[in-house]
Every structure is written in structure tokens, then in C-alpha cells.
């Protein structure tokens, strides 16, 4: 089932790419149902908080009785950054599944590992590498396209 939900997150990431956004997508799953979807909109909204995970949490907390999202599994195509991982921790999300690692900003093992920090009062079970190649290739193609466009303008 993890591959299925990550495919749904990849659909969201493609929506971001189609808008010229960094192609990261996320879905929230409760039981066997997607309850929210989001993708990066930072450029579109000119909002530094426009990351897929933050937008997903905003959707969820707007429809839930509590800000504690203790039944939710979040699937995201790329390892969350510090801001997003902090938000997931604060929302009490119990499980996070991501596709590819993010060596420059990743907060689930690449740069930092907030999921295992014993100083924090909440832990998130993290599963990584689900459809890693597909998730990573979408990002690589996006940044190659950006670089080619930039090189063309020089």
C-alpha cells in the first residue's frame, strides 16, 4: 500500500512541477483513505511556508476536531526540511513515509534527524525510500530544466 500512497503524492508533485514549483507532493492517509492532498506553492503564493507538508497540515487541522493528528500517516515525495519536520512533530503525526532523501535540508536523517531526537516529547516513525527513484528523478528533471533555461539566458 505504501507504493500506492506514494504514487498519489507523486501526482501532487507533478502538479507542482506543472506550475513551475519545486515538485514535492504530499498526501495524508487515515485508514485506507486519502484525507488531504497538497503540493509546493511557495513561488505561486510567494510564501516561504508554502511547502507541501505545511499546506497539508493546514488542510487537515481545518477539518479535524483537534490539532493533534494522531491517526494520520503523511506520505511526501522528498524528505522534509527542518520547518516541515518541526510542524509534523508539533501536530503529533505518528508516521511519516517519504521517497527520496534531501541532503541539503533533510531533517529525517540526511542533515538532522528530528524523528529520533530524545530531547523532544514526540517521536515520528519514519519510513524512507518508498519509490525513491521516481521521486528523485522528478526533482532531478525539474532542476535540470531550470538549469538549462538559466544557461540559455546567459
Amino acid at each position: 500500500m505504501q507504493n500506492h500512497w506514494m504514487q498519489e503524492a507523486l501526482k501532487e508533485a507533478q502538479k507542482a512541477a506543472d506550475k513551475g514549483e519545486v515538485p514535492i507532493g504530499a498526501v495524508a492517509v487515515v485508514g485506507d483513505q486519502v484525507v488531504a492532498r497538497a503540493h509546493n506553492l511557495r513561488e505561486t503564493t510567494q510564501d516561504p511556508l508554502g511547502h507541501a507538508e505545511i499546506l497539508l497540515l493546514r488542510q487537515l487541522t481545518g477539518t479535524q476536531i483537534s490539532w493533534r493528528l494522531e491517526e494520520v500517516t503523511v506520505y511526501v515525495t522528498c524528505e522534509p526540511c527542518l520547518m516541515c519536520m518541526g510542524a509534523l512533530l508539533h501536530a503529533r503525526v505518528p508516521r511519516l513515509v517519504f521517497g527520496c532523501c534531501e541532503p541539503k535540508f533533510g531533517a529525517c536523517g540526511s542533515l538532522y534527524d528530528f524523528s529520533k531526537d530524545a530531547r523532544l516529547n514526540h517521536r515520528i516513525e519514519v519510513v524512507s525510500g518508498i519509490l525513491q527513484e521516481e521521486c528523485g528523478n522528478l526533482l532531478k528533471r525539474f532542476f535540470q530544466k531550470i538549469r538549462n533555461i538559466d544557461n540559455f539566458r546567459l
Side-chain angles (χ1 to χ4, degrees):
M1 249 353 237
Q2 290 179 340
N3 285 4
H4 172 74
W5 301 129
M6 191 59 71
Q7 284 289 350
E8 293 299 310
L10 276 163
K11 289 177 187 175
E12 287 297 313
Q14 186 59 55
K15 289 179 186 177
D18 292 345
K19 295 175 182 175
E21 297 279 353
V22 174
I24 297 176
V27 295
V29 176
V30 175
D32 63 351
Q33 204 169 33
V34 172
V35 295
R37 301 169 175 274
H39 54 273
N40 275 8
L41 288 174
R42 198 166 62 166
E43 297 299 326
T44 301
T45 61
Q46 289 298 296
D47 180 358
L49 305 178
H51 291 209
E53 301 94 326
I54 299 296
L55 299 173
L56 188 78
L57 291 174
R58 285 180 178 161
Q59 279 184 46
L60 286 166
T61 56
T63 62
Q64 303 294 314
I65 295 170
S66 172
W67 57 267
R68 290 178 182 90
L69 303 175
E70 296 168 332
E71 304 296 319
V72 174
T73 298
V74 171
Y75 291 81
V76 63
T77 56
C78 185
E79 179 181 4
C81 69
L82 298 163
M83 173 181 69
C84 293
M85 195 58 184
L88 292 164
L89 282 161
H90 280 289
R92 305 299 193 266
V93 170
R95 190 161 187 261
L96 167 71
V97 180
F98 70 86
C100 62
C101 292
E102 183 16 295
K104 292 182 181 178
F105 293 101
C108 300
S110 290
L111 189 59
Y112 300 98
D113 195 348
F114 283 179
S115 69
K116 295 178 182 164
D117 193 322
R119 297 170 294 179
L120 302 173
N121 68 336
H122 179 69
R123 306 286 179 283
I124 296 179
E125 174 192 350
V126 175
V127 177
S128 63
I130 304 301
L131 299 183
Q132 178 177 348
E133 191 171 326
E134 292 91 331
C135 294
N137 284 340
L138 185 59
L139 284 163
K140 284 178 191 170
R141 284 191 307 270
F142 175 81
F143 285 112
Q144 284 172 344
K145 181 180 174 184
I146 295 299
R147 287 183 195 109
N148 287 340
I149 291 169
D150 287 343
N151 288 340
F152 180 74
R153 290 180 184 163
L154 294 174

